[in-house]
Amino acid sequence: QKEVEQDPGPLSVPEGAIVSLNCTYSNSAFQYFMWYRQYSRKGPELLMYTYSSGNKEDGRFTAQVDKSSKYISLFIRDSQPSDSATYLCAMSGNAGNMLTFGGGTRLMVKP
Amino acid sequence: DGGITQSPKYLFRKEGQNVTLSCEQNLNHDAMYWYRQDPGQGLRLIYYSQIVNDFQKGDIAEGYSVSREKKESFPLTVTSAQKNPTAFYLCASSIVAGTASEQFFGPGTRLTVL
């Protein structure tokens, strides 16, 4: 079993929809959680960075962390075709540890 | 413009050849990383370096080698010992090693074995 699980998709939604992307993990020591967006044939770029449990909002994006369930989510409101990309979750334990990535979910937002 | 550059964008290797992938950053970051990305498997860490002239193996270092002679450069050599090298290779850097600081990624190099 992988340490971080992520549904590969593809997830296809109409423009304007609310998108929910999720990751589950098994290591209870994880406390740093990140979401990266990766366009086709490009390097990932950091979207959201959260520490421990709770919510964080940035524009149309909201990251949620539920450590009791070992579950993190990224919500995208008013999705746009430009949001079409692969979304990777990443996490680690104490600062100084390396990141563990999920396999990524491919999102397609149709006009 | 500050950032990370990788070259070449596409690279083809014959069986038994060593090839070197270039990674340069002008962000003045101390830490640099090499990841391998295969479809559906996310990013796996090959090597990382926290400081010049020092580097550590990641999860899948076998068949790869690196050097860190300059702060801004962290080349990766894929040796003939790497039996399945076809993949997308990503270089990243951060202010310090670990996760307290954001990792910035380069555009990647796609390596194909012929």
Side-chain angles (χ1 to χ4, degrees), chain A residues 1-6 23-27 30 32-36 72 88-93 97-104, chain B residues 35 41-45 59 98-99 103:
Chain A
Q1 183 183 2
K2 292 181 181 179
E3 208 167 7
V4 178
E5 298 277 1
Q6 195 174 0
C23 286
T24 59
Y25 62 95
S26 57
N27 189 342
F30 286 152
Y32 295 89
F33 304 94
M34 302 177 189
W35 285 96
Y36 281 86
I72 69 170
L88 299 157
C89 62
M91 49 195 78
S92 80
N97 290 354
M98 294 301 111
L99 290 174
T100 300
F101 283 84
Chain B
Y35 291 92
Q41 293 196 39
L43 276 63
R44 292 184 289 168
L45 183 64
D59 300 321
T99 59
Q103 288 190 23

